Amino acid sequence: QVQLVESGGGLVQPGGSLRLSCATSGFIFDFYAVGWFRQAPGKERMFLAGIRWSDGTTSYAFSVKGRFIISGDYARNVVNLELNNMNAEDTAVYYCAASNRTVIAISPSHWAYWGQGTQVTVSA
């Protein structure tokens, strides 16, 4: 019954910005953290950012810190990811995930629930 649905992906020019959204439903009280990952063809799934549901504490991968921003709209059970100053290396499928762990984990294996992903393409 737990569902995560991503939206907001698409084609963006280099230097442009996007805002991705993750709509959550089900046992939200069991979500200790909600996070964003991305995976390019032939590469491993990479942690981008996470937010603790209880207090809003955030965690970022060093490679995107200062460029990507994660935020939560708790009344609507939505988590957003702002992607700024984008470049071709940001082209990937972006996934929303939820974790039952108290610590935001980097490894995808520690996240229990996943959305279907949304494609982001950066091209001129």
Side-chain angles (χ1 to χ4, degrees):
Q1 194 170 6
V2 173
Q3 289 186 311
L4 305 172
V5 181
E6 303 95 336
S7 62
L11 179 64
V12 186
Q13 292 182 319
S17 299
L18 275 180
R19 188 177 76 170
L20 307 180
S21 295
C22 174
T24 70
S25 62
F27 295 98
I28 305 300
F29 59 86
D30 196 39
F31 293 173
Y32 288 98
V34 177
W36 285 94
F37 294 73
R38 72 183 182 192
Q39 186 168 22
K43 297 184 178 180
E44 295 182 350
R45 191 164 297 186
M46 171 184 160
F47 172 80
L48 300 174
I51 184 169
R52 285 178 58 178
W53 206 250
S54 59
D55 59 8
T57 300
T58 59
S59 181
Y60 293 91
F62 182 80
S63 61
V64 302
K65 187 175 179 63
R67 192 163 64 92
F68 292 1
I69 302 173
I70 190 170
S71 62
D73 185 341
Y74 303 109
R76 300 174 182 175
N77 296 322
V78 172
V79 174
N80 299 313
L81 184 69
E82 295 181 10
L83 315 177
N84 300 307
N85 193 27
M86 302 183 71
N87 56 64
E89 294 184 352
D90 294 323
T91 296
V93 177
Y94 285 69
Y95 296 92
C96 177
S99 174
N100 295 327
R101 294 174 177 259
T102 59
V103 178
I104 297 174
I106 295 176
S107 174
S109 65
H110 296 322
W111 297 76
Y113 310 104
W114 293 87
Q116 294 300 308
T118 183
Q119 177 70 49
V120 172
T121 302
V122 183
S123 177

